[in-house]
Coordinates of all heavy atoms in Angstrom, one line a residue:
M1 N 69.2 65.6 77.8 CA 69.1 66.3 76.6 C 68.4 67.6 76.7 O 67.4 67.7 77.5 CB 68.3 65.3 75.6 CG 68.5 65.7 74.2 SD 67.8 64.5 73.1 CE 69.3 63.5 72.8
D2 N 69.0 68.5 76.1 CA 68.5 70.0 76.2 C 67.5 70.4 75.1 O 67.9 70.9 74.1 CB 69.7 70.9 76.3 CG 69.3 72.3 76.6 OD1 68.3 72.5 77.2 OD2 70.0 73.3 76.1
V3 N 66.2 70.0 75.3 CA 65.2 70.3 74.4 C 64.4 71.5 74.9 O 64.0 71.5 76.1 CB 64.3 69.1 74.0 CG1 63.3 69.5 73.1 CG2 65.1 67.9 73.6
R4 N 64.3 72.5 74.0 CA 63.5 73.8 74.5 C 62.2 73.9 73.6 O 62.2 73.4 72.4 CB 64.4 74.9 74.4 CG 65.7 74.9 75.1 CD 66.5 76.1 74.9 NE 67.8 75.8 75.5 CZ 68.9 76.6 75.1 NH1 68.8 77.6 74.3 NH2 70.1 76.3 75.6
L5 N 61.4 74.7 74.1 CA 60.2 75.2 73.4 C 60.7 75.8 72.1 O 61.6 76.7 72.1 CB 59.3 76.0 74.1 CG 58.5 75.3 75.2 CD1 57.6 76.4 75.9 CD2 57.5 74.3 74.7
G6 N 60.1 75.6 70.9 CA 60.4 76.2 69.8 C 61.5 75.6 68.9 O 61.9 76.0 67.7
D7 N 62.1 74.5 69.4 CA 63.2 73.7 68.7 C 62.5 73.0 67.7 O 61.4 72.6 67.7 CB 63.9 72.9 69.7 CG 64.9 73.6 70.6 OD1 65.1 74.7 70.4 OD2 65.4 72.9 71.5
V8 N 63.3 72.6 66.7 CA 62.9 71.7 65.6 C 63.7 70.4 65.8 O 65.0 70.5 65.9 CB 63.2 72.3 64.2 CG1 62.8 71.3 63.2 CG2 62.3 73.6 64.1
L9 N 63.0 69.3 65.9 CA 63.8 68.0 66.1 C 63.7 67.3 64.7 O 62.8 67.1 64.1 CB 63.0 67.2 67.1 CG 62.8 67.8 68.5 CD1 62.0 66.9 69.4 CD2 64.1 68.2 69.2
L10 N 65.0 66.8 64.5 CA 65.1 65.9 63.3 C 65.2 64.4 63.8 O 66.0 64.1 64.6 CB 66.4 66.3 62.6 CG 66.7 65.5 61.3 CD1 65.6 65.8 60.2 CD2 68.1 65.7 60.8
M11 N 64.1 63.7 63.5 CA 64.1 62.3 64.0 C 64.8 61.3 63.2 O 65.1 61.5 62.0 CB 62.6 62.0 64.1 CG 61.8 62.8 65.1 SD 62.4 62.9 66.7 CE 61.0 63.2 67.7
K12 N 65.1 60.1 63.8 CA 65.8 59.1 63.1 C 64.8 58.4 62.0 O 65.3 58.1 61.0 CB 66.3 58.1 64.0 CG 67.4 58.5 64.9 CD 67.8 57.4 66.0 CE 68.8 57.9 66.9 NZ 69.2 57.0 68.0
K13 N 63.6 58.2 62.5 CA 62.6 57.5 61.5 C 61.7 58.5 61.1 O 61.2 59.4 61.8 CB 62.0 56.4 62.2 CG 62.8 55.2 62.6 CD 62.0 54.1 63.2 CE 62.9 53.0 63.4 NZ 62.1 51.8 64.0
P14 N 61.2 58.4 59.8 CA 60.2 59.4 59.3 C 58.8 59.1 59.8 O 58.5 57.9 60.1 CB 60.3 59.3 57.8 CG 60.8 57.8 57.5 CD 61.7 57.5 58.7
H15 N 57.9 60.1 59.8 CA 56.5 60.0 60.0 C 56.0 59.4 58.8 O 56.5 59.4 57.7 CB 56.0 61.5 60.3 CG 54.6 61.4 60.7 ND1 53.7 62.1 60.0 CD2 54.0 61.0 61.8 CE1 52.5 62.0 60.6 NE2 52.7 61.4 61.8
P16 N 54.8 58.7 58.9 CA 54.1 58.1 57.7 C 54.0 59.0 56.5 O 53.9 58.6 55.4 CB 52.8 57.6 58.2 CG 53.1 57.2 59.7 CD 54.0 58.3 60.1
C17 N 53.8 60.3 56.8 CA 53.7 61.3 55.7 C 55.0 61.5 55.0 O 55.0 62.1 53.9 CB 53.1 62.6 56.2 SG 54.3 63.6 57.2
G18 N 56.1 61.2 55.5 CA 57.5 61.3 55.0 C 58.4 62.3 55.7 O 59.5 62.5 55.3
G19 N 57.8 63.2 56.5 CA 58.5 64.2 57.1 C 59.4 63.6 58.4 O 58.9 62.8 59.1
R20 N 60.5 64.2 58.6 CA 61.4 63.9 59.8 C 61.5 65.1 60.8 O 62.1 64.9 61.7 CB 62.7 63.5 59.2 CG 62.9 62.3 58.6 CD 64.2 62.0 58.1 NE 64.2 60.7 57.3 CZ 64.9 59.6 57.9 NH1 65.6 59.6 59.0 NH2 64.9 58.5 57.1
E21 N 61.0 66.2 60.4 CA 61.1 67.4 61.2 C 59.9 67.7 62.0 O 58.8 67.6 61.5 CB 61.6 68.7 60.4 CG 62.9 68.5 59.8 CD 63.2 69.8 59.0 OE1 62.4 70.7 58.8 OE2 64.4 69.9 58.6
W22 N 60.1 68.0 63.3 CA 59.0 68.2 64.3 C 59.3 69.4 65.0 O 60.4 69.6 65.5 CB 58.9 67.0 65.3 CG 58.5 65.7 64.5 CD1 59.4 64.8 63.9 CD2 57.2 65.1 64.4 NE1 58.6 63.8 63.4 CE2 57.3 63.9 63.8 CE3 56.0 65.5 65.1 CZ2 56.2 63.1 63.5 CZ3 54.9 64.7 64.8 CH2 55.0 63.5 64.1
D23 N 58.2 70.3 65.3 CA 58.3 71.4 66.2 C 57.9 71.0 67.6 O 57.0 70.2 67.8 CB 57.2 72.5 65.7 CG 57.6 73.1 64.4 OD1 58.7 73.4 64.1 OD2 56.7 73.3 63.6
V24 N 58.7 71.5 68.5 CA 58.3 71.3 70.0 C 57.4 72.2 70.4 O 57.6 73.5 70.4 CB 59.7 71.3 70.8 CG1 59.4 71.1 72.3 CG2 60.7 70.4 70.3
L25 N 56.2 71.8 70.9 CA 55.1 72.7 71.3 C 55.0 72.7 72.9 O 54.5 73.6 73.5 CB 53.8 72.4 70.8 CG 53.7 72.2 69.3 CD1 52.3 71.7 68.9 CD2 53.9 73.5 68.7
R26 N 55.4 71.6 73.6 CA 55.3 71.4 75.1 C 56.4 70.5 75.5 O 56.7 69.5 74.8 CB 54.0 70.9 75.4 CG 53.7 71.0 77.0 CD 52.3 70.5 77.2 NE 52.3 69.0 77.4 CZ 52.5 68.4 78.5 NH1 52.7 69.1 79.7 NH2 52.4 67.1 78.6
I27 N 57.0 70.8 76.6 CA 58.0 69.9 77.2 C 57.6 69.6 78.6 O 56.8 70.3 79.2 CB 59.5 70.4 77.2 CG1 59.5 71.7 77.7 CG2 59.9 70.4 75.7 CD1 60.9 72.3 77.9
G28 N 58.0 68.4 79.1 CA 57.8 68.0 80.5 C 58.0 66.5 80.5 O 58.8 66.0 80.0
M29 N 57.2 65.8 81.2 CA 57.2 64.3 81.2 C 56.9 63.7 79.9 O 57.4 62.7 79.4 CB 56.3 63.8 82.2 CG 56.7 63.9 83.7 SD 58.2 63.1 84.0 CE 57.8 61.4 83.9
D30 N 56.1 64.5 79.0 CA 55.8 64.2 77.6 C 56.2 65.3 76.8 O 56.3 66.5 77.2 CB 54.3 64.0 77.5 CG 53.8 62.8 78.2 OD1 54.5 61.7 78.4 OD2 52.7 62.8 78.8
F31 N 56.5 65.1 75.5 CA 56.7 66.2 74.5 C 55.5 66.2 73.7 O 55.0 65.2 73.3 CB 57.9 65.8 73.6 CG 59.3 66.0 74.3 CD1 60.4 65.5 73.7 CD2 59.3 66.6 75.5 CE1 61.5 65.6 74.3 CE2 60.6 66.7 76.1 CZ 61.7 66.2 75.5
R32 N 55.0 67.4 73.4 CA 54.0 67.6 72.4 C 54.6 68.1 71.2 O 55.3 69.1 71.1 CB 52.9 68.6 72.8 CG 51.8 68.6 71.8 CD 50.6 69.5 72.3 NE 49.5 69.3 71.5 CZ 48.5 68.5 71.8 NH1 48.5 67.9 73.0 NH2 47.5 68.3 71.0
L33 N 54.5 67.3 70.0 CA 55.3 67.6 68.8 C 54.3 67.8 67.7 O 53.2 67.2 67.6 CB 56.2 66.4 68.5 CG 57.2 66.1 69.5 CD1 57.9 64.8 69.1 CD2 58.2 67.2 69.8
R34 N 54.7 68.7 66.7 CA 53.9 68.8 65.5 C 54.8 68.6 64.4 O 55.8 69.2 64.2 CB 53.4 70.3 65.4 CG 52.6 70.5 64.2 CD 52.1 71.9 63.9 NE 51.1 72.4 64.9 CZ 51.3 73.6 65.6 NH1 52.2 74.5 65.2 NH2 50.4 74.0 66.5
C35 N 54.2 67.8 63.4 CA 55.0 67.4 62.2 C 55.0 68.6 61.4 O 53.9 69.2 61.1 CB 54.3 66.2 61.5 SG 55.2 65.8 59.8
R36 N 56.2 69.0 60.8 CA 56.2 70.1 59.9 C 55.7 69.9 58.5 O 55.5 70.8 57.8 CB 57.7 70.7 59.8 CG 58.2 71.1 61.2 CD 59.6 71.7 61.1 NE 59.4 73.1 61.1 CZ 60.3 74.0 60.9 NH1 61.4 73.7 60.6 NH2 59.9 75.3 61.0
T37 N 55.5 68.6 58.1 CA 55.1 68.3 56.8 C 53.5 68.3 56.7 O 53.0 69.0 55.8 CB 55.6 67.0 56.3 OG1 57.0 67.0 56.4 CG2 55.2 66.6 54.9
C38 N 52.9 67.6 57.6 CA 51.5 67.3 57.5 C 50.7 68.2 58.7 O 49.4 68.1 58.6 CB 51.1 65.9 57.6 SG 51.4 65.1 59.1
G39 N 51.4 68.6 59.7 CA 50.7 69.3 60.7 C 50.1 68.5 61.8 O 49.4 69.0 62.7
R40 N 50.3 67.2 61.9 CA 49.7 66.3 62.8 C 50.5 66.6 64.1 O 51.7 66.7 64.2 CB 49.9 64.9 62.4 CG 49.6 63.8 63.5 CD 48.1 63.4 63.6 NE 47.6 63.1 62.4 CZ 46.6 62.3 62.1 NH1 46.2 61.5 63.2 NH2 46.1 62.0 61.0
E41 N 49.7 66.6 65.3 CA 50.3 66.8 66.6 C 50.1 65.5 67.4 O 49.2 64.8 67.2 CB 49.6 67.9 67.4 CG 49.8 69.3 66.8 CD 49.1 70.4 67.6 OE1 48.7 70.1 68.8 OE2 49.1 71.4 67.1
M42 N 51.2 65.3 68.2 CA 51.1 64.1 69.0 C 51.9 64.2 70.4 O 52.8 65.1 70.3 CB 51.5 62.8 68.3 CG 53.0 62.8 67.9 SD 53.4 61.3 67.0 CE 55.1 61.2 67.2
M43 N 51.5 63.5 71.3 CA 52.2 63.4 72.6 C 53.1 62.2 72.6 O 52.7 61.1 72.3 CB 51.3 63.4 73.8 CG 50.3 64.5 73.9 SD 51.1 66.1 74.5 CE 51.3 65.6 76.2
V44 N 54.4 62.4 73.0 CA 55.4 61.3 73.0 C 56.1 61.3 74.4 O 56.5 62.4 74.9 CB 56.4 61.5 72.0 CG1 57.4 60.3 72.0 CG2 55.8 61.6 70.6
P45 N 56.2 60.1 75.1 CA 56.8 60.2 76.4 C 58.4 60.6 76.2 O 58.9 60.3 75.1 CB 56.8 58.7 76.8 CG 55.7 58.1 76.1 CD 55.5 58.9 74.9
R46 N 58.8 61.3 77.1 CA 60.1 62.0 77.1 C 61.2 61.0 76.8 O 62.0 61.2 75.8 CB 60.5 62.7 78.4 CG 61.7 63.5 78.4 CD 62.0 64.1 79.7 NE 63.0 65.1 79.5 CZ 62.8 66.5 79.3 NH1 61.5 66.8 79.5 NH2 63.8 67.3 79.1
G47 N 61.3 59.8 77.4 CA 62.3 58.8 77.1 C 62.2 58.2 75.7 O 63.3 58.1 75.1
K48 N 61.0 58.0 75.2 CA 60.9 57.5 73.8 C 61.4 58.6 72.9 O 62.1 58.3 71.8 CB 59.6 57.1 73.5 CG 59.3 56.4 72.3 CD 57.9 55.9 72.1 CE 57.6 55.1 70.8 NZ 56.3 54.6 70.6
A49 N 61.0 59.9 73.0 CA 61.3 61.0 72.2 C 62.8 61.3 72.2 O 63.5 61.4 71.0 CB 60.7 62.1 72.6
E50 N 63.6 61.2 73.4 CA 65.0 61.4 73.4 C 65.7 60.3 72.6 O 66.7 60.6 72.0 CB 65.3 61.6 74.8 CG 65.0 62.9 75.5 CD 65.3 63.1 76.9 OE1 65.9 62.0 77.6 OE2 65.3 64.1 77.3
K51 N 65.3 59.1 72.6 CA 65.9 58.1 71.9 C 65.8 58.3 70.4 O 66.6 57.8 69.6 CB 65.3 56.8 72.2 CG 65.9 56.1 73.5 CD 65.2 54.8 73.7 CE 65.8 54.0 74.9 NZ 65.4 52.6 75.1
A52 N 64.6 58.8 69.9 CA 64.4 58.9 68.6 C 64.9 60.2 68.0 O 65.0 60.3 66.7 CB 62.9 58.9 68.3
I53 N 65.5 61.2 68.7 CA 66.1 62.4 68.1 C 67.4 62.1 67.5 O 68.3 61.5 68.2 CB 66.2 63.4 69.3 CG1 64.8 63.8 69.8 CG2 66.9 64.6 68.8 CD1 64.8 64.8 71.0
K54 N 67.6 62.5 66.3 CA 68.9 62.5 65.6 C 69.6 63.8 65.8 O 70.8 63.8 66.0 CB 68.6 62.2 64.1 CG 69.8 62.0 63.3 CD 69.5 61.6 61.9 CE 70.7 61.2 61.1 NZ 70.3 60.7 59.8
K55 N 68.9 64.9 65.8 CA 69.4 66.3 65.8 C 68.6 67.3 66.3 O 67.4 67.3 66.0 CB 70.1 66.7 64.4 CG 70.8 67.9 64.3 CD 71.3 68.1 63.0 CE 72.0 69.5 62.9 NZ 72.4 69.8 61.4
I56 N 69.0 68.3 67.0 CA 68.2 69.4 67.5 C 68.6 70.6 66.7 O 69.7 71.0 66.7 CB 68.3 69.7 69.0 CG1 67.9 68.4 69.8 CG2 67.5 70.9 69.4 CD1 68.2 68.6 71.4
I57 N 67.6 71.2 66.1 CA 67.9 72.4 65.1 C 67.3 73.6 65.9 O 66.1 73.7 66.3 CB 67.2 72.3 63.9 CG1 67.8 71.0 63.2 CG2 67.5 73.6 63.0 CD1 66.9 70.7 61.8
R58 N 68.2 74.6 66.3 CA 67.8 75.7 67.2 C 68.1 77.0 66.4 O 69.2 77.0 65.8 CB 68.5 75.6 68.5 CG 68.1 76.3 69.5 CD 68.8 76.1 70.9 NE 68.1 74.9 71.5 CZ 68.8 74.0 72.1 NH1 70.0 73.9 72.2 NH2 68.1 73.0 72.6
E59 N 67.2 77.9 66.4 CA 67.5 79.2 65.8 C 68.6 79.9 66.7 O 68.6 79.8 67.9 CB 66.3 80.1 65.8 CG 65.3 79.6 64.8 CD 64.0 80.5 64.6 OE1 64.2 81.7 65.0 OE2 63.0 80.1 64.2
T60 N 69.5 80.6 66.1 CA 70.5 81.3 66.9 C 69.9 82.4 67.8 O 69.0 83.1 67.4 CB 71.5 81.9 65.9 OG1 70.9 82.9 65.0 CG2 72.3 80.9 65.1
E61 N 70.4 82.4 69.0 CA 69.9 83.5 69.9 C 70.8 84.7 69.8 O 72.0 84.6 69.7 CB 70.0 82.9 71.3 CG 69.1 81.6 71.5 CD 69.2 81.0 72.9 OE1 70.1 81.5 73.7 OE2 68.6 80.1 73.2
E62 N 70.2 85.9 69.8 CA 70.9 87.1 69.7 C 71.0 87.8 71.0 O 70.2 87.6 71.9 CB 70.2 87.9 68.8 CG 70.2 87.4 67.3 CD 69.5 88.4 66.4 OE1 69.3 89.6 66.7 OE2 69.1 88.0 65.3

């Protein structure tokens, strides 16, 4: 899966705060994600994160 820094991930299940959109802050063996609704940050193993992604929202590159 092609996930890049600065992407917004739309997840299958919502965060307890109700948000489904997450900003990608770091990639590698783990992803560091920030909830766009409440601002909570968390580290998620790459395999688990890739299974939970519904859609990758990317700003258009010029």
Side-chain angles (χ1 to χ4, degrees):
M1 193 168 269
D2 185 31
V3 178
R4 302 178 194 161
L5 289 176
D7 286 351
V8 177
L9 305 178
L10 183 67
M11 299 300 212
K12 292 178 183 175
K13 292 186 178 181
H15 188 241
C17 72
R20 288 180 182 250
E21 293 184 349
W22 295 80
D23 292 319
V24 178
L25 303 177
R26 186 178 91 89
I27 54 176
M29 287 299 292
D30 297 321
F31 288 165
R32 183 173 197 100
L33 305 173
R34 178 185 298 135
C35 179
R36 296 189 99 188
T37 305
C38 67
R40 171 82 52 146
E41 291 184 12
M42 65 180 200
M43 297 285 287
V44 182
R46 185 180 198 101
K48 188 173 181 181
E50 287 181 347
K51 280 185 172 182
I53 295 172
K54 185 174 186 179
K55 183 179 179 183
I56 299 173
I57 302 167
R58 198 171 272 142
E59 290 185 20
T60 57
E61 297 176 0
E62 295 181 16

